[in-house]
Amino acid sequence: MHEASLMRGLMRKIQEVAASEGAADVVAVEVWLGALSHMSKAHFAEHFAQASAGTMAEGARLDVTLSTDTSHPDAQDILLVSVEVKT
């Protein structure tokens, strides 16, 4: 359930950004997947679709970078790079 925990944290961050921007909708989300996050781009997209269902981020465009650096300090994490919102 490592993925579920990562997705909950990511969705919380996206919602915080959207709220601080007074967003009506989240248009795009850019993330960085650590090499040890155990997620491919396709796997992430599936989890994102499930986690974002019923939220402002549902249907948002995803821009995903997959790291290959297993020694990176955040290699086990998913990092939110940016959130594009519609106000």
Side-chain angles (χ1 to χ4, degrees), residues 15 17 26-27 35-36 43 45 48 60 62 68 78 84:
Q15 291 172 345
V17 170
V26 174
V27 176
L36 302 176
H43 190 196
F48 183 83
L62 290 176
T68 58
I78 297 172
E84 183 181 337

Side-chain angles (χ1 to χ4, degrees), residues 12-36:
R12 186 173 41 255
K13 289 177 187 174
I14 292 169
Q15 291 172 345
E16 288 171 1
V17 170
S20 73
E21 295 290 325
D25 201 16
V26 174
V27 176
V29 174
E30 182 180 359
V31 296
W32 177 91
L33 303 178
L36 302 176

Side-chain angles (χ1 to χ4, degrees), residues 29-81:
V29 174
E30 182 180 359
V31 296
W32 177 91
L33 303 178
L36 302 176
S37 69
H38 305 292
M39 286 218 206
S40 65
K41 290 181 180 184
H43 190 196
F44 175 81
E46 289 175 27
H47 279 281
F48 183 83
Q50 291 172 352
S52 65
T55 73
M56 285 191 286
E58 184 173 11
R61 184 185 78 242
L62 290 176
D63 297 314
V64 180
T65 300
L66 180 58
S67 173
T68 58
D69 183 359
T70 58
S71 64
H72 190 283
D74 296 311
Q76 294 183 347
D77 297 321
I78 297 172
L79 302 180
L80 181 60
V81 176

